[in-house]
Amino acid sequence: MQDETSTSIANLIEVVENQIADQDPKKVAETLMRLRMTGYSRDEAIEYIACALMVEIYDVSHHNGQFTLSRYEANLDTLPDMPWADEINLDIGE
């Protein structure tokens, strides 16, 4: 189970890194810069962004939803706060 979790996190981080490199969505790179400017390391900022991405993936997989860019961007705007974390039992940094 730990290996699966590590692989999933690594996959999310890879997606975020690709979004930053591609500047798509642009909000991801903006969020990285904002978090860095408020004192977070690059790795911490990427992990926070990956958490916001996880919310969208969770919704798609558990609620037969559809990826919603506007919700993803709204979640990015809340970082480093994650008011949606309890909804998906998100447990990071502990």
Side-chain angles (χ1 to χ4, degrees):
M1 181 84 161
Q2 184 67 20
D3 288 339
E4 288 179 27
T5 301
S6 296
T7 300
S8 296
I9 292 169
N11 289 340
L12 285 171
I13 289 172
E14 182 178 351
V15 169
V16 170
E17 291 285 7
N18 290 336
Q19 290 177 332
I20 292 166
D22 296 342
Q23 294 284 309
D24 185 27
K26 189 174 184 176
K27 178 68 94 174
V28 174
E30 292 170 357
T31 302
L32 173 63
M33 187 180 344
R34 178 176 56 80
L35 291 172
R36 292 297 318 272
M37 289 175 62
T38 57
Y40 291 93
S41 72
R42 187 177 195 288
D43 289 343
E44 290 170 322
I46 296 294
E47 288 177 10
Y48 276 118
I49 294 167
C51 291
L53 178 59
M54 188 184 318
V55 172
E56 287 308 308
I57 292 170
Y58 180 88
D59 187 65
V60 169
S61 64
H62 287 82
H63 300 113
N64 296 321
Q66 192 172 32
F67 186 87
T68 306
L69 180 60
S70 61
R71 183 177 50 213
Y72 179 39
E73 290 179 341
N75 287 335
L76 290 170
D77 285 339
T78 68
L79 294 175
D81 294 329
M82 297 184 291
W84 29 261
D86 289 339
E87 294 176 35
I88 60 171
N89 298 319
L90 185 60
D91 183 23
I92 67 161
E94 296 179 3

